[in-house]
Amino acid sequence: MLKSRTRWIVRKSDPVLVKQFEKELKITPLVASLLVNRGFDTVDSARFFLFGKDEFHDPFLLKGMDIAVNRIREAIERKEPILIFGDYDADGVSSTSVLMKTLTDLGADVQFYVPNRFTEGYGPNEPAFRRAAENGIKLIITVDTGISAIHEASVAKELGLDLIITDHHEPGPVLPEALAIIHPKLPDSIYPFRDLAGVGVAFKLAHALYGRLPEHLLELALIGTIADLVPLKGENRLIAKKGLENIKVTNNIGLKTIFKLAGVEPLSINEETIAFTLGPRINAVGRLEDATMAVQLLLTNDENEAKELAEEMEALNRERQAIVNLITEEAINEVERNYPIETNKVLVLGKEGWNAGVIGIVASRLVEKYYRPTIVFSFDREKGVAKGSARSIPGFDLFQNLSTCRDILPHFGGHPMAAGMTLSIDDVGELRERLNGLANDQLTDEDFIPVTYLDEEVQINDIDLESLDELNLLSPFGVENAKPMVLINDVDITSIRKIGSDQNHLKIVVNKNGNSLDGIGFGLGSLVDEISPAAQISLIGELSINEWNNIRKPQIFVHDLSVDTWQLFDFRGQNRLNSIETLVPNENRKIIVFNKDNLDKISATLHDEVYLIENKEDAKSFNAHMANIVFADFPPSKELIIHLLSGKHPSRIYTYFYKESSDFFSTMPTRDHFKWFYAFLMQKGPIDLKRYGADIAKHRGWSQETITFMSKVFSELDFVTINNGFITLKRQTQKRDLTESKTYQIKQAQNALERDLLFSSFQELKDWFDKVLFESVELEEAF
């Protein structure tokens, strides 16, 4: 067996609706079922999603938009200095860039400010507002931040500053007192789409200020929309779709320089390029230094400046990766030592010196490893402050649960799945205790088993180029419109091997009913040792088209694998017992020795406990349930294996069957052999076997062992007498069968045993084990 790493849950689609979509939309069954599983319940809604020309909503449907636009236009007319107050992540950087470009185009006297993560923390702050007032600023517009800035809003009012807040984070029970708040999730909002990213809200403000759709800004709006992991539906999907079209042919010098340094071919850019190449590089700047540099890079028209800034960004990204790896290792050690998952349903940990800019990434990695809601803090002992970043799992709403702890959280904000906060170091323990109490009430044991939701179970013969080309109609993919994940059940393995310089990836070809499919599993190379070539496997992953040398073939990017039945791993004849600890998983590994003479040798080779099975009582009492059983040496009979396995359910069987030497290839005399030897003794009379045995064997082309064996059989059957090496035929004997000889029985049984267990083919051996495990095997068959 091979357990999957997550729970696989396959969505069920309405077959009648699928057929209707196929017929009326003229699409393949695969795409039709994916649409149904994504919640489309009418042909019209599905058609609109695939082929419709979406329109952006009127920006003035957002509450406060008219007030904001009028005040900004007034500031432009009066030449009043305007400050855009941004945030240091990719959403905040792109939001700031969108509004900077807009207001610059409209002739505003505008500048931007991005707070330093380390010295100022998240969001608007009083010192920054006071400096702005001193510098003559009359209007502050926040982007991707500000909905929690209640104190800062009152400071702005006190300073005579007009404050416009544009944000998308969860609003609290009390809202800041600002001139206007533009936010799609306000309690009394009538805006048709609630899930805009911060840059989406800034884009709507730009739309309203221009009086037309600012298509040239879609490539910037794309960045925050993808990087901030908002649902890719409604206007977000439209921003992403149109933004991707634009960014492939962008004239933005900063973007072109970033892509060139990262080795990205512009026409190949898709949503994954934004999520895994562009977004992390922009975020790296704000995580380690000042995100102002990232905004400058997106706004510059100077190629030399762009090159210099992009190279610095690239270096910071490499540094960020190294820091994340180091802190993650330290955090894992901290969990293992002080916060074991057995007693912590929510992981809350921190350390002085951990870089506050990357702890969000570390939290994500801990969630991935332990599948627990996680908060990672950076402690500033001098100030007594803990800055934290949190990530969650389905079923535990971070924002709601943290909201119950407002009395010890002077500053926090976020979403159900991610949040940031600042609090006193002295209150971290209290926060841990409260959140674990809430998790105890809200989460079940099953909630802590990771889930992979699958769109469809598919057959290999349904996977063709037409279907895979059609999948692009569903793109761009992201949150709530994930890349389709499918299940392929119970297929045979044509080939499987490790690939990559570190042999850490998996290459596989599977087949069923004459149809085959190539697959690659990144980071799954270790599973090759846990899959028997004869196993039927199930796999989940993303379907795609592999293009190489102008040849296009379907393939699957494998995310996980499972084998539902026991597996046989055949290492017979290798005699490499030291490989057991490398190739056989530690979990429930049980090493069996049948021959006491081998016990010391095998035990010395291995560090595991070794089980000696010498009789049927030992075998019957052995617990083989879900065990990885290793047959280290060769059994004296099949009977012991039958008693050991019959009616039990091992996970895997590894056959080494170590044997010092084999008799299988020595001659097993036939009845003709015995007939000739009997006639020879009758003709020649008594013979000195010590003297002439070798000559007789050589004459017949036999081994001397054959002569010795037949002589012993004749003696046991009372056909001859053997005295001091002389063999003499008895003249008057009863007729008896060779099988009455004990020596003949043992030799026959040993030959049959070696033939069946040691020298059988892999399939023959597996068939025999199947029979032992799942059928009734008569013990007589063991001899």
Side-chain angles (χ1 to χ4, degrees):
M1 300 184 102
L2 176 65
K3 292 180 181 177
S4 60
R5 298 183 298 175
T6 64
R7 286 183 289 148
W8 300 351
I9 298 178
V10 183
R11 296 183 176 93
K12 300 297 181 185
S13 55
D14 179 349
V16 175
L17 196 55
V18 170
K19 284 291 183 187
Q20 187 181 1
F21 281 15
E22 283 181 60
K23 181 180 177 182
E24 298 195 31
L25 298 175
K26 294 181 172 52
I27 55 178
T28 60
L30 176 60
V31 173
S33 61
L34 290 173
L35 286 167
V36 173
N37 286 338
R38 274 161 165 68
F40 295 98
D41 54 5
T42 67
V43 171
D44 286 342
S45 63
R47 179 183 287 112
F48 190 79
F49 180 79
L50 294 177
F51 312 114
K53 292 186 178 179
D54 291 337
E55 298 293 336
F56 284 95
H57 301 303
D58 181 348
F60 286 97
L61 291 174
L62 282 160
K63 183 182 179 183
M65 184 65 79
D66 52 345
I67 298 172
V69 168
N70 289 336
R71 179 64 184 92
I72 293 169
R73 285 176 175 162
E74 180 183 287
I76 294 172
E77 289 171 8
R78 294 179 179 177
K79 301 296 184 184
E80 292 177 348
I82 302 172
L83 178 69
I84 299 168
F85 196 103
D87 188 27
Y88 38 64
D89 67 0
D91 192 13
V93 166
S94 55
S95 300
T96 304
S97 302
V98 162
L99 220 49
M100 277 296 296
K101 279 186 173 290
T102 301
L103 294 182
T104 301
D105 282 352
L106 296 176
D109 177 6
V110 62
Q111 56 190 278
F112 72 90
Y113 184 84
V114 180
N116 185 286
R117 183 192 292 263
F118 305 100
T119 59
E120 298 173 85
Y122 172 79
N125 61 85
E126 181 177 339
F129 277 19
R130 291 193 179 279
R131 282 195 302 273
E134 290 169 5
N135 292 330
I137 297 296
K138 299 298 182 184
L139 172 62
I140 295 178
I141 308 168
T142 72
V143 288
D144 189 37
T145 188
I147 196 63
S148 300
I150 296 168
H151 171 70
E152 289 77 13
S154 65
V155 169
K157 190 173 183 179
E158 172 200 321
L159 295 170
L161 296 172
D162 284 332
L163 176 64
I164 296 172
I165 293 173
T166 76
D167 200 355
H168 75 122
H169 295 92
E170 296 292 329
V174 179
L175 297 177
E177 190 178 349
L179 177 67
I181 299 176
I182 303 174
H183 194 305
K185 290 184 180 178
L186 290 179
D188 53 353
S189 174
I190 61 168
Y191 194 70
F193 186 68
R194 296 174 56 83
D195 293 317
L196 290 167
V199 73
V201 180
F203 183 79
K204 300 306 296 187
L205 178 56
H207 186 173
L209 287 167
Y210 277 112
R212 58 177 173 79
L213 185 72
E215 295 203 22
H216 66 293
L217 299 178
L218 281 165
E219 60 193 34
L220 295 176
L222 162 73
I223 298 170
T225 299
I226 296 290
D228 216 52
L229 300 178
V230 291
L232 278 194
K233 59 184 183 180
E235 280 191 308
N236 288 339
R237 183 168 190 264
L238 193 53
I239 289 171
K241 202 169 185 178
K242 291 182 176 293
L244 284 169
E245 293 171 3
N246 290 3
I247 205 168
K248 290 178 181 181
V249 293
T250 183
N251 291 318
N252 184 294
I253 293 172
L255 288 174
K256 289 168 73 172
T257 309
I258 296 170
F259 289 138
K260 184 177 180 180
L261 276 178
V264 173
E265 173 61 40
L267 293 179
S268 71
I269 293 171
N270 59 23
E271 60 270 32
E272 292 184 349
T273 314
I274 310 303
F276 302 115
T277 301
L278 180 57
R281 282 166 169 77
I282 293 175
N283 280 327
V285 179
R287 291 184 189 283
L288 298 188
E289 289 193 3
D290 188 339
T292 298
M293 182 180 76
V295 179
Q296 290 171 338
L297 179 55
L298 294 182
L299 295 178
T300 186
N301 291 314
D302 185 319
E303 289 188 2
N304 291 327
E305 182 185 25
K307 186 173 184 295
E308 184 179 326
L309 291 171
E311 286 175 348
E312 188 173 350
M313 176 183 284
E314 193 72 21
L316 285 171
N317 188 50
R318 287 194 294 271
E319 183 182 349
R320 185 267 308 168
Q321 290 169 331
I323 293 171
V324 167
N325 290 339
L326 178 62
I327 296 178
T328 299
E329 185 178 339
E330 291 180 359
I332 289 171
N333 290 334
E334 186 78 2
V335 171
E336 302 293 340
R337 283 198 308 265
N338 300 318
Y339 307 108
I341 60 173
E342 292 77 16
T343 53
N344 285 268
K345 290 188 174 181
V346 179
L347 295 175
V348 179
L349 63 150
K351 189 175 180 181
E352 189 172 10
W354 281 356
N355 188 303
V358 301
I359 52 178
I361 303 174
V362 176
S364 294
R365 290 198 178 178
L366 294 183
V367 171
E368 186 177 328
K369 180 175 178 63
Y370 297 110
Y371 206 67
R372 295 280 190 281
T374 300
I375 305 178
V376 178
F377 285 104
S378 174
F379 294 153
D380 185 336
R381 298 284 180 190
E382 199 171 301
K383 296 180 180 177
V385 171
K387 292 182 180 179
S389 192
R391 300 292 184 270
S392 195
I393 62 174
F396 193 78
D397 186 320
L398 272 177
F399 185 81
Q400 290 299 326
N401 282 293
L402 289 170
S403 294
T404 68
C405 305
R406 288 180 183 275
D407 58 310
I408 58 172
L409 287 174
H411 204 73
F412 85 98
H415 308 287
M417 297 297 287
M421 70 211 70
T422 304
L423 73 161
S424 166
I425 292 177
D426 295 338
D427 289 330
V428 170
E430 174 70 15
L431 181 66
R432 180 185 301 113
E433 187 175 330
R434 290 192 196 181
L435 291 177
N436 270 287
L438 292 165
N440 280 326
D441 294 337
Q442 296 170 28
L443 299 173
T444 66
D445 289 342
E446 193 173 64
D447 289 323
F448 294 105
I449 303 173
V451 175
T452 301
Y453 290 100
L454 304 170
D455 292 273
E456 189 72 21
E457 179 180 344
V458 299
Q459 303 298 319
I460 293 180
N461 61 325
D462 289 331
I463 302 170
D464 54 33
L465 293 174
E466 181 188 4
S467 296
L468 299 185
D469 280 328
E470 234 177 47
L471 285 180
N472 289 325
L473 293 173
L474 296 161
S475 67
F477 299 111
V479 176
E480 293 192 23
N481 184 40
K483 232 177 182 180
M485 286 277 287
V486 301
L487 165 66
I488 301 175
N489 230 347
D490 296 333
V491 290
D492 297 317
I493 300 170
T494 301
S495 66
I496 184 169
R497 59 191 173 92
K498 297 178 184 179
I499 60 170
S501 56
D502 296 324
Q503 298 288 282
N504 57 337
H505 307 308
L506 173 150
K507 183 80 173 70
I508 191 170
V509 179
V510 295
N511 69 86
K512 191 167 188 176
N513 300 328
N515 300 288
S516 66
L517 179 68
D518 293 358
I520 187 163
F522 293 109
L524 301 181
S526 61
L527 294 182
V528 171
D529 295 328
E530 298 195 52
I531 299 172
S532 169
Q536 272 204 332
I537 67 168
S538 297
L539 59 159
I540 63 171
E542 298 171 7
L543 296 172
S544 67
I545 296 175
N546 181 28
E547 299 191 33
W548 179 255
N549 287 338
N550 295 320
I551 298 173
R552 303 174 80 234
K553 289 177 64 178
Q555 72 172 357
I556 184 169
F557 287 109
V558 181
H559 284 223
D560 202 359
L561 295 160
S562 75
V563 179
D564 292 334
T565 59
W566 81 278
Q567 296 188 80
L568 173 64
F569 294 84
D570 186 7
F571 295 100
R572 293 174 296 174
Q574 297 188 24
N575 288 342
R576 293 187 299 112
L577 293 173
N578 58 346
S579 71
I580 290 174
E581 292 181 330
T582 304
L583 297 176
V584 184
N586 285 326
E587 184 181 359
N588 210 9
R589 179 169 64 195
K590 296 188 175 181
I591 301 169
I592 292 171
V593 170
F594 294 105
N595 188 331
K596 194 172 186 178
D597 294 339
N598 293 330
L599 188 60
D600 290 342
K601 177 180 179 180
I602 292 173
S603 296
T605 305
L606 306 169
H607 298 97
D608 284 27
E609 179 183 359
V610 176
Y611 298 85
L612 180 63
I613 305 293
E614 292 187 289
N615 52 59
K616 69 179 182 181
E617 286 73 25
D618 293 340
K620 284 182 176 180
S621 62
F622 184 80
N623 181 12
H625 183 69
M626 298 307 294
N628 293 313
I629 295 176
V630 180
F631 290 125
D633 66 349
F634 195 70
S637 71
K638 291 182 185 176
E639 179 184 22
L640 287 186
I641 292 180
I642 293 170
H643 281 305
L644 192 147
L645 294 177
S646 185
K648 301 175 185 177
H649 301 282
S651 177
R652 304 177 192 172
I653 295 173
Y654 293 78
T655 53
Y656 282 78
F657 286 155
Y658 168 77
K659 198 172 190 294
E660 196 72 47
S661 61
S662 170
D663 297 326
F664 183 74
F665 293 105
S666 62
T667 303
M668 176 64 183
T670 66
R671 293 186 182 276
D672 286 339
H673 286 76
F674 282 101
K675 185 177 180 182
W676 182 89
F677 190 40
Y678 189 90
F680 180 80
L681 292 176
M682 183 177 289
Q683 182 183 356
K684 299 297 184 180
I687 296 173
D688 185 355
L689 292 178
K690 290 180 181 179
R691 184 175 180 184
Y692 298 110
D695 293 332
I696 297 169
K698 186 177 180 181
H699 172 70
R700 296 294 295 174
W702 301 339
S703 66
Q704 186 165 354
E705 182 188 359
T706 302
I707 298 296
T708 303
F709 171 73
M710 290 193 294
S711 300
K712 189 173 182 181
V713 171
F714 281 162
S715 176
E716 289 179 359
L717 296 175
D718 205 28
F719 291 166
V720 299
T721 59
I722 300 176
N723 186 15
N724 198 27
F726 277 86
I727 183 169
T728 304
L729 192 66
K730 291 185 177 181
R731 295 298 178 181
Q732 293 183 352
T733 59
Q734 283 186 319
K735 189 173 183 180
R736 299 178 66 184
D737 193 84
L738 293 172
T739 56
E740 295 181 53
S741 161
K742 188 67 174 175
T743 297
Y744 188 88
Q745 291 174 15
I746 292 171
K747 175 79 170 179
Q748 194 176 46
Q750 188 65 22
N751 260 39
L753 187 63
E754 291 193 20
R755 180 193 67 226
D756 293 346
L757 296 186
L758 203 54
F759 298 106
S760 56
S761 69
F762 176 92
Q763 193 58 52
E764 287 170 337
L765 185 63
K766 184 169 188 306
D767 289 344
W768 184 78
F769 275 119
D770 276 333
K771 192 174 182 182
V772 171
L773 290 168
F774 304 115
E775 300 177 25
S776 176
V777 179
E778 295 183 9
L779 294 179
E780 289 76 31
E781 292 183 9
F783 299 99

